[in-house]
Amino acid sequence: MSNHRTEDTGPRTLETATRTLDVINRLKRMNGATVTEMADALGCSKGGAYNHLVTLYENDFVVKDDNVYKLSPRFILMGEHVRQDNLLYQFGKGELDELIEKTGEYGQLVTEAHGLAIVIYLHRGEKAIGSDYPLHMEKKPLYLHHLAAGKSILAHLPKAEVEKIIDKRGLPQRTENTITDSETLYEELETVRERGYAHNKEEEVDGLRAIGAPISGPDGEMLGALSLSGPKSRMQGERFDEKIPQMVKNTADIIEINIKMAYRTKDI
């Protein structure tokens, strides 16, 4: 098994492990693949693709239907373990559910990993529209800069860390309202810090607006954020500028307090 350095002074990475992870990611994006399709996607021999797929199959991470390999439901168990172990999910789910009952909109709990936003919980209220939106939010990592929750997180990270995220992920445009300039983003993040919540004014999806507020952990570390999303027709005026922001901030504050109280009493 060979290995290499990502940089002259960087850590050593195992090429075989890296290739296996690439196979897993490609199976996800392709929603399954034959040996030939995987070999073409990887640019390797059929034998090499077969070896990776069979290794995953023998270890229960892949299932096989005729000649098509797909990710195993075992990943559901692994993902659920990660989610259940997350403080934001443990203490935020119930509070978010109550907020959605009051507003009828979409609510999300979002955390940051490797410079991307990961939705760990999403609740669709009775007034929410667009049944495909939860799939969009939950199935793949999202960029932080075009989400209300993402901007709430970025606003409370050290500037050096934000700069690293921008260098690594860039500021790709989703709509004509997406912030794609770093200086404009820094100005926006300063405003977020001052008022305690972030706006998403159709920066991710045309016609969709959101309010997000940060949630910190027992030692002040940034756990993630809570956000509420809805159509522009309902997210405007006093409701968007005052009522919803106050509700989102209040819910985020309750989650923070519950986490810190549990930590102090050593319940977690």
Side-chain angles (χ1 to χ4, degrees):
M1 184 181 298
S2 60
N3 50 44
H4 68 280
R5 289 182 182 275
T6 56
E7 298 177 3
D8 291 342
T9 58
R12 299 180 72 86
T13 59
L14 299 176
E15 291 181 0
T16 303
T18 299
R19 178 52 64 92
T20 299
L21 292 172
D22 191 14
V23 170
I24 291 172
N25 284 322
R26 288 179 184 274
L27 284 176
K28 175 179 176 292
R29 291 197 297 269
M30 298 165 70
N31 196 29
T34 64
V35 171
T36 300
E37 289 170 340
M38 183 57 66
D40 290 342
L42 295 174
C44 70
S45 67
K46 292 183 181 179
Y50 175 79
N51 289 337
H52 284 286
L53 290 169
V54 169
T55 299
L56 289 167
Y57 177 82
E58 293 295 333
N59 286 278
D60 301 329
F61 286 103
V62 162
V63 295
K64 184 180 179 183
D65 184 8
D66 290 331
N67 293 318
V68 177
Y69 292 85
K70 293 188 175 184
L71 296 180
S72 164
R74 183 171 181 176
F75 282 98
I76 298 174
L77 300 177
M78 296 176 69
E80 191 59 29
H81 168 77
V82 173
R83 180 161 65 172
Q84 294 286 344
D85 194 50
N86 186 282
L87 286 181
L88 189 60
Y89 178 80
Q90 290 176 28
F91 290 88
K93 179 180 181 297
E95 299 299 334
L96 178 62
D97 289 344
E98 289 188 18
L99 179 62
I100 298 309
E101 288 300 315
K102 295 175 183 176
T103 64
E105 306 291 359
Y106 277 117
Q108 306 93 25
L109 293 173
V110 178
T111 192
E112 178 269 332
H114 303 290
L116 293 171
I118 307 293
V119 176
I120 61 172
Y121 181 64
L122 187 148
H123 187 159
R124 182 174 184 262
E126 61 180 11
K127 296 180 182 178
I129 60 175
S131 59
D132 60 339
Y133 185 65
L135 297 177
H136 161 72
M137 293 290 287
E138 292 183 312
K139 278 194 171 183
K140 62 182 181 180
L142 303 166
Y143 290 94
L144 294 162
H145 69 286
H146 56 61
L147 300 176
K151 287 191 283 186
S152 296
I153 294 171
L154 288 172
H156 293 83
L157 292 176
K159 186 174 181 180
E161 189 169 345
V162 176
E163 290 173 344
K164 288 181 181 179
I165 290 174
I166 294 175
D167 287 343
K168 182 176 183 179
R169 301 298 180 183
L171 298 172
Q173 187 169 13
R174 288 295 301 271
T175 74
E176 64 178 13
N177 295 320
T178 304
I179 296 174
T180 57
D181 173 72
S182 60
E183 290 306 315
T184 302
L185 179 62
Y186 291 138
E187 292 175 4
E188 174 87 354
L189 298 182
E190 179 61 31
T191 301
V192 172
R193 282 190 292 273
E194 291 175 355
R195 69 186 175 202
Y197 64 90
H199 283 131
N200 167 5
K201 297 180 178 179
E202 301 179 75
E203 296 165 54
E204 180 207 3
V205 177
D206 288 326
L208 193 72
R209 289 183 165 188
I211 297 292
I215 299 172
S216 62
D219 295 321
E221 72 277 21
M222 182 51 44
L223 296 180
L226 172 151
S227 68
L228 196 71
S229 305
K232 180 181 178 181
S233 60
R234 289 199 299 269
M235 300 287 272
Q236 59 180 313
E238 182 181 354
R239 188 172 190 262
F240 185 65
D241 295 329
E242 298 180 22
K243 185 176 180 179
I244 292 297
Q246 192 60 55
M247 295 175 75
V248 170
K249 285 174 62 180
N250 288 346
T251 302
D253 287 343
I254 291 171
I255 295 171
E256 279 194 1
I257 291 170
N258 288 341
I259 291 174
K260 291 173 182 177
M261 287 180 63
Y263 180 82
R264 287 171 183 169
T265 57
K266 299 183 179 179
D267 287 341
I268 59 175

